[in-house]
Amino acid sequence: MGLFVPLDRARRAEAASALGSLERGIEILLCLAAGMRPMNLTQVHQSTGFSKTTTHRLLGTLQRRGLVTRTGGDYTVGGRLADIVAPRGWAVQGRRLPGSRRAVLPHLLQLYEATRQTVNLAVPDGFEVAYVERLYGHNRVKSPSDGVDRAPLHCTATGKVLLAYDPGLRAAFLAAPALRRMTRRTVTAPAVLERELAAIRGEGVGYAWEEFAEGVCCAAAPVFGPDGGVCMAVAVAAPVGAAALPRMGAAVRRTAHQITGALLL
């Protein structure tokens, strides 16, 4: 019997260690969820009291499982947890907007009625946009994002709008590896993209013309949260030639302003 005691103790120690790691991981998620802004490794380490080594290891595990997103050196609650809170509101770069779905949906419906084209609402998730709402009819425009509800930042109208109005996200994204070419029209030169982002900030609307998918054009505008920072992008996607982009741009800009106002109530 004595031969089995060390093994039994080892199993108990292993179980206790696993439970401790689980509890620490949950504490890190609660820390990130409570913050209004992304947090770097040092901030999470200081907030939780865990060692930097432990904090870094657990953040890596949570990131691999989709529960935490890393953008540059900052961490936020990841897309999987955002999906859980979506019926009541959305999680945007670690900031939760409770009740936002109820406030936003009527404006998205109004935009669809006005354009009769696919309406998208997107939030940032790392170096991608995550589509948290989509409204469309039988003539829904086809896109590579169908089924996955996410797309790159640099070649979508929603992504470019989020990059244009979020300096931290923009700096981290432009410092990343080369931009991936999706179609012959995709902008892959950082300098060209930066000029386009500056133009978006001037006009308040971003456009994508067959940059993510052949035959698809899109117009998007920024939505600002209660803290004044960009939190979402609303967009209309349509087949090329089905609608004039300036008219679509005016419609999404008007809707974005309305949604921004609704989130302040």
Side-chain angles (χ1 to χ4, degrees), residues 55-105:
T55 304
H56 185 265
R57 174 175 58 81
L58 291 174
L59 281 169
T61 300
L62 294 169
Q63 182 184 352
R64 287 193 298 274
R65 299 306 298 267
L67 299 176
V68 163
T69 295
R70 182 177 180 180
T71 303
D74 292 332
Y75 296 88
T76 60
V77 173
R80 283 194 175 184
L81 289 186
D83 292 341
I84 295 173
V85 301
R88 301 181 299 279
W90 295 290
V92 185
Q93 293 292 71
R95 294 170 290 164
R96 294 194 181 189
L97 299 175
S100 52
R101 191 171 190 264
R102 177 178 294 181
V104 168
L105 270 180

Side-chain angles (χ1 to χ4, degrees), residues 84-158:
I84 295 173
V85 301
R88 301 181 299 279
W90 295 290
V92 185
Q93 293 292 71
R95 294 170 290 164
R96 294 194 181 189
L97 299 175
S100 52
R101 191 171 190 264
R102 177 178 294 181
V104 168
L105 270 180
H107 298 288
L108 299 183
L109 287 167
Q110 189 175 42
L111 181 59
Y112 172 74
E113 289 294 333
T115 62
R116 289 292 171 174
Q117 299 294 341
T118 301
V119 172
N120 295 317
L121 186 71
V123 300
D125 189 359
F127 287 163
E128 294 183 310
V129 292
Y131 296 106
V132 293
E133 288 290 347
R134 282 181 157 175
L135 302 178
Y136 50 87
H138 293 296
N139 62 334
R140 175 180 181 175
V141 64
K142 293 184 179 181
S143 167
S145 63
D146 293 347
V148 294
D149 290 331
R150 56 186 61 243
L153 288 168
H154 67 289
C155 57
T156 56
T158 52

Side-chain angles (χ1 to χ4, degrees), residues 167-196:
L169 179 62
R170 182 168 66 253
F173 183 78
L174 292 174
L179 305 180
R180 181 183 175 190
R181 181 176 296 280
M182 305 298 293
T183 73
R184 57 190 175 86
R185 292 180 178 269
T186 303
V187 174
T188 57
V192 176
L193 179 61
E194 284 195 86
R195 288 197 295 271
E196 187 174 350

Side-chain angles (χ1 to χ4, degrees), residues 185-217:
R185 292 180 178 269
T186 303
V187 174
T188 57
V192 176
L193 179 61
E194 284 195 86
R195 288 197 295 271
E196 187 174 350
L197 298 180
I200 291 172
R201 290 191 293 274
E203 187 177 351
V205 181
Y207 298 99
W209 187 276
E210 295 188 287
E211 296 172 44
F212 181 49
E214 298 284 355
V216 178
C217 63

Side-chain angles (χ1 to χ4, degrees), residues 22 25 82 167-168 177 183 206 212 223 252 260:
L22 174 62
T183 73
F212 181 49
V223 173
V252 296
T260 296

